Amino acid sequence: MTKKLFIKTYGCQMNVYDSARMADVMAPLGYSASESFEDADLVVLNTCHIREKAEEKVYSELGRILKEKKKKADKGERMLIAVGGCVGQAEGEEIFKRAPYVDIVLGPQSYHQLPEMVTKAIRGKGGVVNLEFEAQQKFDALPEAGASQGVSVFLAVQEGCDKFCSFCVVPYTRGAEYSRSPQAILDEAKRMVGQGALEITLLGQNVNAYHGGTWSLADLIVKLAQIDGLARIRYMTSHPRDMSDDLIALHGCEPKLMPFLHLPVQSGSDAILKRMNRKHTAAFYLDIIERLRAARPDIALSSDFIVGFPGESDRDFEDTLALVEKVGFHSAYSFKYSPRPGTPAAVDDRQVPEAAKDERLQRLQALLQKQMLAANRASVGKTMEVLFDRSGKQAGQALGKNPYMQSVHVLGAPHLQGTLAQVRITAAHGNSVAGEAVEPLMQLRKAS
Ligand code: SAH
Ligand code: SF4
Ligand code: F3S
């Protein structure tokens, strides 16, 4: 008998990858993935703890799910609720106190044990917890075969972080840096390509810190690029300190490596960077950008910013704007600093008032938005390869990404879905560009 599994994913791409693995690990027990939590036998929330808002979302969603759980109980059936991901790891058993109807709490390194935990929860009254912290065991224990994830897929190569930026929960929720073996990654990549993947994004909290034995991330990409049928390789998220020479050089000579880099800088002020424990300066960051552009002049850049970090003055914030002006980003994420329990910055007594954070965020986002629009406009009239991995909101609209990670949409072209096609960009919008297909290049190959 098949059972209904609903997984809701919050946070970063690593969680997207993990959710797919959880679905894989539950499949042999008869659980098949469903699009809604109504009538589900098992609901998994794969959560994010990065900012307070992310955490609050989880509790409001749990409230909605509880209603469904009660409905099911009225029919004499049982719905199990599991909280996984970084909130699970950070809060552990505390979750049962706030939401006693949750049956299972597990951290990101325990997904391979989900089937066992579900069996235990079914037998007992719930309250099953697993917060083990060994990434290696997880990767070794996860099943080989997985369901196809489509033409553009994520592949985790590294997990955890040893950097301990003073604002960030990730080193506490994901544990120490761990790199998977090159062989395991190559095998998984080949399997994904066999299932129709044309683009692989290598994932890690600090992906460029990857070291599989003597292999660097650049070595790994060189080998992956030799896989026939794989058209594109990307990687994220990188840390400036780990942006090695071989990786920078590879952007200039490996055609399958896309001309795009997400390289978070957080701030343009050296004083703030120091207090963030980022271990790099603004000049160090700008130097990387210069060398990347020397290797690959058209490389598109993206970043993450935090405004209102404790002690950030107007002057510090101006330094951030100045850095943005100097680089010229294609896209970026920016956030108001959110104090996180257990992190050093949260107990700093120089917290910035909310109003100042709001004002800075607006100014920064206006500048970034302007740069994004400029980059989108600059692509009008050019023809470029687009991988169409999604369908848009409008009927027949195909949505995809060009090499620079710009969102491209083409109207009246449902046949483009799942293909890599040459597209002429015809118009620029704030967050995307529009185009028309010149010719489809490769079709999604059916899984064998
Ligand atoms: N490993 C990546 C990103 C981790 S989290 C890196 O090193 O950059 C993604 C982004 O969330 C961060 O880059 C940062 O900009 C933001 N972030 C992390 N902690 C935050 C906090 N406490 N408040 C606001 N934003 C935060
Ligand atoms: Fe968090 Fe810093 Fe590690 Fe990124 S490098 S995950 S921001 S501690
Ligand atoms: Fe969030 Fe955890 Fe990713 S805190 S950003 S889900 S590593």
Side-chain angles (χ1 to χ4, degrees):
M1 204 183 77
T2 57
K3 291 182 180 143
K4 242 178 108 176
L5 165 67
F6 173 71
I7 305 182
K8 180 154 182 174
T9 310
Y10 301 83
C12 61
Q13 282 87 349
M14 188 68 93
N15 269 6
V16 176
Y17 174 84
D18 282 342
S19 288
R21 296 283 76 75
M22 280 194 266
D24 289 343
V25 91
M26 292 309 293
L29 276 80
Y31 285 85
S32 81
S34 123
E35 296 289 306
S36 81
F37 61 71
E38 274 160 44
D39 208 35
D41 298 287
L42 172 62
V43 172
V44 180
L45 298 188
N46 193 4
T47 63
C48 174
H49 201 241
I50 204 80
R51 284 168 291 274
E52 197 181 348
K53 262 195 197 140
E55 184 187 343
E56 283 310 314
K57 269 189 209 157
V58 174
Y59 286 102
S60 49
E61 185 71 3
L62 279 173
R64 282 190 287 275
I65 295 167
L66 173 62
K67 286 197 192 122
E68 197 60 29
K69 180 167 175 142
K70 282 182 178 155
K71 259 195 237 162
K72 221 169 145 71
D74 290 344
K75 289 192 281 179
E77 293 168 14
R78 186 148 174 222
M79 171 194 279
L80 290 182
I81 303 176
V83 176
C86 292
V87 175
Q89 187 68 44
E91 299 192 354
E93 301 199 9
E94 286 296 308
I95 293 174
F96 296 133
K97 285 194 193 141
R98 205 165 148 185
Y101 47 88
V102 168
D103 301 278
I104 295 171
V105 171
L106 71 170
Q109 318 307 351
S110 311
Y111 297 149
H112 55 294
Q113 302 195 5
L114 184 60
E116 204 184 312
M117 296 175 80
V118 166
T119 312
K120 238 193 227 169
I122 290 173
R123 270 197 246 117
K125 286 202 213 90
V128 183
V129 186
N130 194 324
L131 303 174
E132 265 175 41
F133 226 40
E134 274 292 324
Q136 182 174 356
Q137 284 175 13
K138 162 172 125 176
F139 285 119
D140 287 351
L142 283 170
E144 292 252 313
S148 167
Q149 305 297 321
V151 284
S152 178
V153 299
F154 295 130
L155 202 177
V157 303
Q158 180 277 345
E159 186 160 3
C161 178
D162 295 337
K163 296 273 191 303
F164 290 93
C165 299
S166 61
F167 51 81
C168 183
V169 294
V170 172
Y172 310 97
T173 62
R174 293 279 171 170
E177 242 175 65
Y178 168 76
S179 294
R180 296 177 68 192
S181 82
Q183 197 53 53
I185 295 163
L186 289 168
D187 289 348
E188 187 166 338
K190 281 179 197 151
R191 205 165 49 235
M192 287 169 150
V193 173
Q195 287 175 319
L198 296 171
E199 174 178 89
I200 293 182
T201 301
L202 306 175
L203 295 182
Q205 265 85 38
N206 263 297
V207 71
N208 57 345
Y210 177 83
H211 52 95
T214 58
W215 291 43
S216 67
L217 184 67
D219 297 332
L220 186 65
I221 293 171
V222 167
K223 270 284 187 300
L224 286 165
Q226 290 166 5
I227 299 176
D228 279 341
L230 179 62
R232 292 174 160 194
I233 301 170
R234 301 181 187 275
Y235 59 95
M236 77 185 305
T237 297
S238 297
H239 192 286
R241 298 256 320 164
D242 298 312
M243 212 54 225
S244 57
D245 292 342
D246 61 346
L247 190 54
I248 293 176
L250 198 62
H251 274 282
C253 60
E254 176 49 67
K256 288 189 183 181
L257 182 58
M258 289 295 102
F260 170 84
L261 180 66
H262 180 65
L263 191 64
V265 64
Q266 315 299 355
S267 169
S269 154
D270 287 346
I272 294 299
L273 286 169
K274 191 157 200 276
R275 289 223 300 282
M276 285 177 162
N277 195 29
R278 289 290 292 181
K279 298 199 172 80
H280 63 78
T281 59
F284 183 87
Y285 185 87
L286 292 169
D287 179 61
I288 295 171
I289 302 302
E290 203 172 295
R291 288 187 290 134
L292 274 163
R293 283 186 168 144
R296 179 80 205 227
D298 63 339
I299 194 162
L301 297 158
S302 154
S303 198
D304 289 346
F305 296 90
I306 294 178
V307 300
F309 182 82
E312 185 187 68
S313 65
D314 286 336
R315 199 44 214 287
D316 292 319
F317 177 64
E318 295 298 331
D319 287 345
T320 298
L321 294 178
L323 180 136
V324 173
E325 290 281 8
K326 271 189 203 141
V327 175
F329 290 98
H330 263 61
S331 61
Y333 299 94
S334 41
F335 313 98
K336 287 191 281 182
Y337 169 70
S338 169
R340 307 306 292 131
T343 60
V347 290
D348 193 312
D349 53 15
R350 288 163 292 185
Q351 300 295 328
V352 172
E354 206 53 28
K357 286 187 196 172
D358 280 328
E359 199 247 347
R360 288 176 193 170
L361 187 67
Q362 270 186 26
R363 282 181 65 198
L364 176 60
Q365 289 188 338
L367 175 58
L368 290 166
Q369 193 60 48
K370 201 176 87 186
Q371 293 190 341
M372 187 166 173
L373 183 60
N376 287 348
R377 282 192 177 137
S379 58
V380 174
K382 292 183 182 150
T383 296
M384 44 185 95
E385 219 167 77
V386 176
L387 179 58
F388 290 96
D389 57 345
R390 282 161 301 150
S391 50
K393 283 195 195 106
Q394 296 174 46
Q397 187 184 35
L399 267 181
K401 292 278 196 303
N402 68 13
Y404 309 104
M405 269 310 256
Q406 287 166 314
S407 290
V408 182
H409 54 90
V410 177
L411 284 171
H415 61 284
L416 289 177
Q417 176 74 20
T419 72
L420 194 55
Q422 290 286 351
V423 172
R424 205 174 65 83
I425 307 300
T426 52
H429 307 292
N431 300 312
S432 64
V433 296
E436 48 197 34
V438 180
E439 59 169 325
L441 280 184
M442 294 186 205
Q443 297 289 333
L444 167 62
R445 281 164 307 113
K446 287 276 173 289
S448 48

